[in-house]
């Protein structure tokens, strides 16, 4: 029964993806990225994230940023990654706020204070990695 439900979800997710539903496109991208119910296909995952991100869907913008940052299904492009993180962060996405904080902490001269502010905003969203990073910062 679970398998039938999953395949029904995957089918509808794919159908919705073709009709431009941002959330469904992003979810389908996750399935392709991790191989849930299908073979892993990072290229298809990145394309689904991109279609969703172009509609302003913050989770997809963050996922696409990760793809660009680490070269998952696309060529590595840190500038594009940062652009995607900024778009998602403007919408308050916790993961994007964290990734942007890492960018400011490691890549921007004098960006440390801004990074800490981004980590705080991310932690307020409940993002665990941001909470952990703030703990590490407070211990130093």
């Amino acid at each position: 029964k679970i398998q039938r439900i999953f395949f029904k979800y995957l089918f509808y997710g794919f159908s919705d993806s073709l009709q431009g539903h941002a959330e469904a496109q992003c979810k389908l991208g996750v399935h392709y990225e991790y191989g849930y119910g299908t073979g892993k296909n990072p290229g298809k995952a990145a394309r689904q994230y991109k279609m969703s991100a172009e509609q302003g869907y913050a989770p997809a913008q963050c996922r696409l940023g990760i793809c660009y940052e680490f070269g998952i299904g696309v060529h590595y492009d840190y500038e594009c990654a940062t652009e995607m993180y900024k778009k998602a962060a403007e919408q308050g996405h916790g993961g994007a706020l964290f990734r942007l904080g890492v960018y400011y902490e490691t890549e921007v001269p004098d960006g440390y204070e801004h990074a800490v502010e981004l980590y705080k905003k991310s932690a307020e969203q409940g993002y665990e990695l941001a909470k952990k990073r703030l703990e590490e910062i407070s211990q130093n």
Side-chain angles (χ1 to χ4, degrees):
K1 181 176 178 162
I2 292 174
Q3 204 171 31
R4 275 197 329 244
I5 292 170
F6 174 78
F7 284 114
K8 182 177 179 181
Y9 168 78
L10 187 60
F11 172 76
Y12 286 119
F14 183 75
S15 296
D16 285 349
S17 171
L18 295 176
Q19 296 174 23
H21 294 279
E23 184 178 1
Q25 287 170 321
C26 186
K27 287 180 180 179
L28 184 57
V30 171
H31 286 275
Y32 282 130
E33 183 177 356
Y34 294 102
Y36 300 148
T38 183
K40 283 187 178 184
N41 191 324
K44 283 185 177 181
R47 282 191 295 278
Q48 291 298 318
Y49 295 145
K50 185 174 183 184
M51 287 188 287
S52 180
E54 287 172 347
Q55 296 172 68
Y57 189 60
Q61 290 168 333
C62 186
R63 299 267 358 132
L64 184 59
I66 291 168
C67 288
Y68 280 123
E69 182 176 359
F70 297 103
I72 301 169
V74 294
H75 291 298
Y76 167 85
D77 188 332
Y78 204 71
E79 188 176 314
C80 285
T82 305
E83 180 183 325
M84 288 295 107
Y85 294 145
K86 285 179 180 178
K87 287 180 179 184
E90 287 172 2
Q91 297 178 62
H93 188 274
L97 288 161
F98 175 77
R99 296 300 319 151
L100 202 53
V102 171
Y103 167 75
Y104 276 96
E105 184 177 5
T106 60
E107 302 295 324
V108 176
D110 300 321
Y112 180 78
E113 294 300 321
H114 189 54
V116 171
E117 289 304 313
L118 290 165
Y119 292 145
K120 287 178 183 177
K121 289 179 182 178
S122 179
E124 288 170 5
Q125 298 289 327
Y127 199 73
E128 292 300 320
L129 289 175
K131 292 176 185 179
K132 183 177 178 182
R133 184 66 190 120
L134 286 170
E135 279 182 35
E136 292 169 354
I137 288 170
S138 70
Q139 292 174 358
N140 291 332

